[in-house]
């Protein structure tokens, strides 16, 4: 009996020893997990509160609107890639009880820490508002661009036109910008720089010359050219041809979704040896600002007339958005080779594009819906 009791006591002793070991192992594992998790969180927080790029030197302009809260400011800074983590920055600002941010336009860099950014937004030097603001919309001709620049800057339209068509100046730009080639000086081109001013809003200080303003706009298009250099080369087209086709897409499309589809239609027509037959190219060549194309218009000898001349027109016919450029470089693979645009209406404020595979179907649309354009033009008078 005594031996049995000792045996049971020994078993219980071993069980307790094993239990303690398991407990120690579990505690050790949990402690290790805690340490690893703590270290990971620390590293994450630390990296989130460090500069995005300590070696960055490029300035980034940031506009903080009036009444913007911490969440809005954090989102703006993240969109500009000035902070690593929007949520961490927001909580960090709350932790520091910072709230005295000023609305305005600031110059920041990716080399700044969150603390430096916070201090700058509180006490930094606010950039004064630009003296001149020029907004160049998508799909407008050089004549309208000149008028917009003239109105915003005070330069006379004729002086701007003279500067932008000066042959010596154009030759110097061809030397400066890889995207510009001798294609822009071909006989028949109305404006060498048509299509090369990137549509956007620009801000300038007083004293900027016409050429400086022009080159700022060219710089923005050069960035698009550089970014898409491989795709342009793969397309088999020159950048001038991409812009020319892109400007047609810009003028024809009723909605952003239409851009790639229309680019696909133009691609099909080019591949099939068909003329592009785009009305906006006719209007550009005649200088008429109308949506009604006459038989006489179709017979004009302008090299932009895609009813008379095959292939891509001699040059762009308007400003071109990045999306239209990308549509030309990545058109839809569509079965359509015809389309007809209906005018804006209450039901379709931006108009409607009707796509067809056959000429007969296309002509039915022309006969049925062309009267809408007559009514639309009459309503504008």
């Amino acid at each position: 009996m005594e031996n049995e009791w000792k045996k049971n006591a020994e078993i219980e002793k071993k069980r307790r020893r094993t239990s303690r070991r398991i407990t120690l192992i579990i505690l050790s594992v949990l402690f290790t997990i805690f340490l690893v998790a703590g270290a990971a969180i620390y590293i994450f927080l630390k990296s989130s509160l460090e500069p995005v790029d300590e070696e960055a030197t490029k300035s980034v302009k940031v506009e903080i609107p009036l009444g913007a809260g911490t969440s809005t400011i954090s989102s703006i800074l993240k969109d500009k890639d000035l902070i690593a983590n929007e949520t961490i920055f927001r909580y960090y600002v709350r932790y520091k009880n910072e709230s005295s941010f000023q609305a305005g336009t600031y110059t920041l860099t990716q080399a700044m820490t969150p603390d430096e950014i916070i201090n700058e937004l509180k006490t930094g030097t606010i950039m004064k508002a630009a003296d001149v603001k020029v907004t160049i919309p998508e799909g407008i001709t050089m004549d309208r661009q000149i008028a917009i620049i003239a109105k915003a800057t005070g330069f006379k339209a004729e002086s701007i036109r003279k500067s932008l068509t000066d042959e010596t100046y154009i030759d110097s730009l061809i030397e400066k910008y890889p995207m510009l080639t001798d294609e822009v000086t071909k006989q028949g081109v109305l404006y060498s720089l048509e299509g090369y001013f990137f549509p956007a809003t620009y801000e300038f200080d007083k004293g900027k010359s016409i050429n400086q303003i022009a080159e700022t706009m060219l710089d923005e298009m050069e960035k698009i050219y550089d970014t898409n250099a491989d795709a342009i080369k793969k397309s088999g087209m020159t950048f001038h041809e991409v812009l020319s086709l892109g400007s047609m897409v810009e003028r024809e499309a009723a909605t952003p979704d239409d851009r790639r589809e229309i680019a696909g239609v133009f691609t099909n027509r080019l591949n099939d040896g068909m003329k592009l037959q785009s009305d906006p190219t006719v209007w550009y060549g005649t200088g008429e600002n109308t949506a009604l194309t006459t038989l006489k218009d179709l017979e004009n000898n302008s090299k932009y007339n895609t009813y008379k001349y095959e292939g891509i027109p001699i040059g762009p016919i308007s400003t071109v958005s990045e999306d239209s450029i990308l549509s030309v470089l990545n058109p839809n693979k569509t079965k359509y080779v015809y389309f007809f645009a209906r005018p804006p209406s209450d039901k379709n404020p931006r108009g409607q594009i009707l796509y067809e595979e056959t000429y007969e179907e296309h002509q039915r649309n022309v006969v049925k819906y062309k009267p809408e354009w007559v009514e639309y033009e009459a309503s504008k008078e």
Side-chain angles (χ1 to χ4, degrees):
M1 187 72 178
E2 184 177 352
N3 288 338
E4 185 67 24
W5 180 83
K6 288 182 178 180
K7 184 177 180 182
N8 289 337
E10 187 65 28
I11 291 173
E12 180 63 20
K13 185 178 180 180
K14 289 181 179 179
R15 188 187 66 78
R16 290 177 179 176
R17 189 183 301 121
T18 301
S19 180
R20 283 196 299 272
R21 288 177 179 174
I22 292 173
T23 301
L24 286 173
I25 291 172
I26 292 173
L27 289 174
S28 297
V29 170
L30 290 175
F31 183 68
T32 301
I33 292 174
F34 176 78
L35 286 178
V36 171
I41 292 172
Y42 172 78
I43 293 171
F44 172 70
L45 291 174
K46 186 174 182 296
S47 64
S48 296
L49 296 173
E50 290 179 343
V52 173
D53 183 0
E54 292 182 349
E55 298 181 358
T57 57
K58 183 179 179 181
S59 296
V60 179
K61 187 170 71 174
V62 177
E63 294 185 7
I64 303 298
L66 189 66
T70 304
S71 296
T72 300
I73 293 173
S74 299
S75 178
I76 292 171
L77 294 175
K78 180 57 181 172
D79 288 342
K80 296 289 187 177
D81 203 20
L82 289 165
I83 57 174
N85 187 286
E86 180 181 338
T87 303
I88 297 300
F89 181 84
R90 186 168 66 248
Y91 282 111
Y92 184 66
V93 169
R94 291 179 183 176
Y95 165 74
K96 297 197 69 176
N97 197 29
E98 300 284 6
S99 59
S100 303
F101 297 126
Q102 301 179 35
T105 303
Y106 296 84
T107 300
L108 308 174
T109 74
Q110 291 182 324
M112 297 174 72
T113 65
D115 282 321
E116 290 172 332
I117 291 175
I118 290 170
N119 290 333
E120 187 71 17
L121 296 181
K122 287 169 55 183
T123 61
T125 302
I126 302 177
M127 294 175 60
K128 68 181 181 70
D131 298 314
V132 176
K133 181 179 285 189
V134 180
T135 298
I136 302 297
E138 302 166 353
I140 67 169
T141 65
M142 182 60 75
D143 284 331
R144 285 188 60 195
Q145 294 168 61
I146 289 172
I148 289 171
I149 296 171
K151 184 177 180 179
T153 63
F155 287 116
K156 292 185 180 299
E158 193 52 43
S159 294
I160 298 172
R161 184 175 286 103
K162 185 177 180 180
S163 293
L164 300 183
T165 56
D166 181 80
E167 292 183 8
T168 302
Y169 180 54
I170 297 299
D171 287 341
S172 72
L173 291 177
I174 292 174
E175 290 291 324
K176 182 177 181 179
Y177 292 94
M179 68 176 176
L180 291 172
T181 67
D182 290 339
E183 291 168 291
V184 303
T185 60
K186 281 184 179 179
Q187 186 175 1
V189 171
L190 295 183
Y191 286 105
S192 294
L193 299 181
E194 183 75 89
Y196 286 90
F197 287 168
F198 186 72
T201 295
Y202 300 88
E203 295 182 346
F204 303 99
D205 294 328
K206 285 182 178 178
K208 292 289 185 181
S209 68
I210 296 171
N211 291 357
Q212 287 174 319
I213 292 173
E215 287 171 41
T216 298
M217 297 177 179
L218 290 173
D219 288 341
E220 292 304 305
M221 185 60 82
E222 183 81 9
K223 293 176 185 176
I224 304 298
Y225 169 76
D226 290 338
T227 300
N228 297 284
D230 290 341
I232 295 167
K233 184 177 181 181
K234 186 178 179 181
S235 73
M237 293 181 283
T238 65
F239 188 55
H240 188 72
E241 291 173 325
V242 170
L243 284 181
S244 299
L245 204 54
S247 67
M248 293 169 58
V249 170
E250 197 73 61
R251 293 297 309 276
E252 294 277 18
T255 67
D257 290 339
D258 284 319
R259 287 178 172 140
R260 279 181 169 76
E261 189 71 7
I262 289 175
V265 171
F266 284 149
T267 299
N268 288 344
R269 294 180 74 85
L270 289 170
N271 290 339
D272 292 345
M274 300 171 66
K275 292 176 182 176
L276 292 177
Q277 296 185 330
S278 171
D279 284 2
T281 64
V282 176
W283 307 332
Y284 187 80
T286 61
E288 296 292 332
N289 185 22
T290 176
L292 297 174
T293 307
T294 66
L295 289 175
K296 183 179 178 181
D297 293 333
L298 297 181
E299 294 172 357
N300 84 83
N301 287 322
S302 165
K303 291 293 182 66
Y304 292 91
N305 185 353
T306 54
Y307 278 85
K308 188 165 188 176
Y309 296 99
E310 296 180 354
I312 299 170
I314 193 171
I317 59 174
S318 72
T319 53
V320 192
S321 66
E322 182 176 12
D323 194 39
S324 287
I325 292 171
L326 295 178
S327 296
V328 170
L329 295 175
N330 299 283
N332 283 354
K333 292 182 179 179
T334 181
K335 60 185 178 181
Y336 300 117
V337 288
Y338 298 95
F339 65 88
F340 182 83
R342 297 179 65 186
S345 64
D346 292 339
K347 185 177 181 181
N348 296 299
R350 302 180 72 176
Q352 180 187 17
I353 306 294
L354 304 174
Y355 300 94
E356 302 295 352
E357 292 183 66
T358 69
Y359 180 74
E360 290 73 25
E361 292 170 323
H362 172 65
Q363 278 302 111
R364 279 196 287 270
N365 288 334
V366 172
V367 172
K368 183 177 181 180
Y369 295 111
K370 192 168 184 179
E372 292 182 343
W373 281 108
V374 176
E375 293 178 11
Y376 178 74
E377 287 294 303
S379 69
K380 295 193 300 182
E381 296 178 357

